[in-house]
């Protein structure tokens, strides 16, 4: 691992650069992007050969998708995860517990998503395995992660919920904090999963959110910047910036193949794992509420489904023409690129709003 080369810096001065989180974040970004870009065509060919008909398209979805997206392979999240893992293992500190917790949740959620994708492809149905069972598995993984994070958090911040904008405002949730954190992680994973419905729609907002939380992790993990911004200092979380850099690089490589018309879909393998990753980083940096701002687009997508289902069950009427909400706008006549790019713009605006909370105290 390149990070370990920094131990030789006392002898070789140039190797001091490996001690800098910013340098290793850039290295992780470049490595992950290059890996996905280089091996992408081979992975896509292999998945297309194995899957045959590709991802099954929902019959009750937009009718245009039955023509434009049929036959496109899924499980593209494997590309993202492969590049991500290589970059993290190469550039992140192997001594950092936050890195390992994040990797565990990301791979755990990715495995759940992979199995769901596998069932959909083999059965040629948009239904995977039991939703309750899937949520149960996600909840167990997330709960274990939150308990571990809480154990490694500073004593003054254990089981505490921090509020943006309000200076030194903490709410002690006690044992309930682990449940709350697990809810954040599971919610983030499934919200990103709901957003993944159009070419390039999910991956760019994920990269934007990762760039935002990479900056937050770097600032929160540095005692000087945390003191200056008057945010809670959480030691060692700065290393999560390297993890975020790896996601951005892998995401850029994937976007090359996922840009419309997509050669591959990320599937639940990618969306669940990336959403879970964002949730873990938010919990580790004590910015759970800020995640709801930065990831507001994902929240909107999730809420549109909840509102649609609840409204139809209670009144027999639908609030949106189709849910998730990106399909609603398609049904209103927006072209797919219009929906995607406008949602990207919303993601950027929300990310800037989330970053603004760092200074507003």
């Amino acid at each position: 691992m390149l990070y370990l080369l920094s131990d030789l810096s006392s002898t070789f001065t140039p190797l001091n650069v490996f001690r800098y989180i910013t340098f290793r974040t850039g290295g992780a970004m470049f490595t992950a992007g290059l890996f996905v870009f280089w091996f992408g065509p081979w992975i896509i060919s292999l998945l297309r050969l194995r899957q045959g008909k590709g991802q099954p398209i929902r019959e009750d979805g937009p009718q245009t998708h039955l023509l434009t997206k049929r036959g496109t392979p899924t499980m593209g999240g494997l590309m993202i995860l492969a590049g991500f893992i290589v970059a993290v293992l190469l550039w992140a500190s192997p001594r950092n517990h936050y890195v390992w917790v994040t990797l565990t949740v990301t791979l755990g959620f990715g495995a759940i998503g992979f199995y769901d994708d596998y069932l959909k492809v083999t059965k040629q149905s948009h239904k995977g395995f039991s939703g309750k069972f899937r949520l149960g598995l996600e909840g167990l993984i997330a709960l274990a992660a939150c308990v571990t994070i809480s154990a490694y958090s500073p004593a003054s911040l254990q089981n505490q919920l921090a509020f943006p904008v309000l200076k030194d405002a903490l709410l002690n949730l006690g044992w309930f904090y682990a449940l709350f954190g697990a809810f954040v992680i599971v919610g983030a994973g499934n919200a990103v999963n709901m957003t993944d419905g159009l070419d390039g729609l999910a991956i760019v907002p994920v990269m934007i959110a990762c760039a935002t939380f990479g900056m937050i992790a770097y600032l929160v993990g540095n005692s000087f910047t945390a003191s200056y911004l008057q945010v809670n200092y959480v030691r060692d979380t700065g290393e999560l910036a390297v993890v975020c850099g790896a996601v951005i690089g892998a995401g850029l490589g994937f976007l090359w193949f996922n840009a419309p018309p997509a050669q591959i879909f990320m599937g639940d393998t990618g969306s669940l794992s990336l959403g879970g990753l964002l949730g873990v980083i938010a919990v580790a940096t004590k910015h759970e509420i800020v995640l709801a701002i930065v990831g507001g687009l994902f929240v909107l997508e999730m809420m549109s489904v909840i509102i649609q289902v609840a409204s139809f069950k209670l009144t027999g009427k639908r609030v949106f023409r189709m849910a998730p909400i990106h399909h609603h706008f398609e049904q209103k006549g927006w072209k797919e690129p219009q929906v995607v790019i406008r949602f990207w713009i919303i993601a950027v605006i929300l990310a800037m709003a989330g970053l603004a909370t760092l200074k507003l105290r």
Side-chain angles (χ1 to χ4, degrees):
M1 297 177 186
L2 293 176
Y3 174 81
L4 295 178
L5 290 175
S6 63
D7 292 340
L8 302 174
S9 60
S10 58
T11 305
F12 302 102
T13 304
L15 292 179
N16 271 323
V17 293
F18 290 104
R19 291 187 178 274
Y20 295 117
I21 290 175
T22 49
F23 176 80
R24 288 186 287 110
T25 299
M29 190 184 305
F30 178 79
T31 301
L34 182 63
F35 182 94
V36 176
F37 184 78
W38 186 264
F39 290 101
W42 176 77
I43 295 174
I44 292 173
S45 297
L46 179 63
L47 289 173
R48 182 177 287 115
L49 180 65
R50 294 284 185 180
Q51 295 178 12
K53 295 181 180 180
Q55 176 173 299
I57 307 301
R58 289 175 52 185
E59 297 292 339
D60 59 344
Q63 294 303 300
T64 55
H65 290 194
L66 296 173
L67 298 174
T68 60
K69 301 186 183 298
R70 189 179 297 277
T72 305
T74 187
M75 296 185 186
L78 292 174
M79 297 165 56
I80 302 172
L81 290 177
F84 166 75
I85 293 169
V86 168
V88 170
L89 294 179
L90 194 62
W91 292 97
S93 169
R95 305 186 186 98
N96 189 288
H97 43 267
Y98 290 118
V99 170
W100 289 110
V101 171
T102 304
L103 271 175
T104 301
V105 172
T106 303
L107 294 180
F109 276 41
I112 294 171
F114 174 82
Y115 183 59
D116 205 35
D117 285 335
Y118 174 78
L119 291 178
K120 291 176 182 177
V121 170
T122 54
K123 295 181 179 180
Q124 277 301 296
S125 169
H126 66 272
K127 295 181 179 180
F129 67 107
S130 169
K132 291 182 179 179
F133 183 62
R134 190 175 92 165
L135 286 174
L137 287 177
E138 293 170 10
L140 288 175
I141 295 171
L143 187 62
C146 291
V147 171
T148 305
I149 289 172
S150 184
Y152 281 107
S153 298
S156 60
L157 295 176
Q158 284 185 352
N159 300 325
Q160 303 279 350
L161 175 63
F163 292 88
V165 180
L166 302 177
K167 180 182 177 182
D168 298 326
L170 294 171
L171 176 63
N172 191 339
L173 297 179
W175 62 267
F176 183 72
Y177 178 79
L179 294 176
F180 172 77
F183 172 79
V184 170
I185 295 171
V186 173
N190 285 279
V192 174
N193 183 234
M194 291 290 182
T195 307
D196 182 33
L198 300 177
D199 299 348
L201 178 59
I203 190 61
V204 171
V206 164
M207 289 191 290
I208 293 169
C210 274
T212 304
F213 269 92
M215 186 176 298
I216 289 173
Y218 179 78
L219 296 172
V220 168
N222 183 294
S223 59
F224 175 78
T225 54
S227 176
Y228 171 74
L229 293 171
Q230 299 181 22
V231 295
N232 296 295
Y233 167 56
V234 187
R235 183 180 177 183
D236 295 332
T237 54
E239 200 67 26
L240 292 174
V242 181
V243 174
C244 290
V247 174
I248 295 169
L252 287 171
F254 176 73
L255 183 61
W256 182 268
F257 305 102
N258 186 238
Q263 296 174 251
I264 190 169
F265 302 138
M266 72 162 68
D268 290 3
T269 308
S271 56
L272 270 181
S273 58
L274 294 176
L277 177 144
L278 284 171
V280 174
I281 295 176
V283 171
T285 57
K286 295 295 178 182
H287 277 70
E288 301 93 341
I289 296 177
V290 173
L291 176 61
I293 301 173
V294 175
L297 178 64
F298 306 131
V299 175
L300 177 65
E301 293 275 10
M302 174 68 84
M303 290 305 299
S304 69
V305 175
I306 294 173
I307 292 171
Q308 185 84 324
V309 172
S311 175
F312 186 74
K313 286 186 175 181
L314 294 173
T315 67
K317 297 180 180 179
R318 293 180 172 85
V319 176
F320 306 101
R321 295 188 180 183
M322 189 175 290
I325 198 169
H326 55 260
H327 291 322
H328 168 78
F329 289 108
E330 278 192 294
Q331 296 298 95
K332 289 189 66 175
W334 290 19
K335 300 298 183 182
E336 183 172 341
Q338 284 181 305
V339 178
V340 171
I341 295 175
R342 286 171 179 173
F343 275 39
W344 289 355
I345 294 171
I346 293 172
V348 171
I349 294 171
L350 291 171
M352 291 189 293
L355 282 176
T357 64
L358 291 174
K359 189 57 183 170
L360 295 175
R361 297 283 158 177

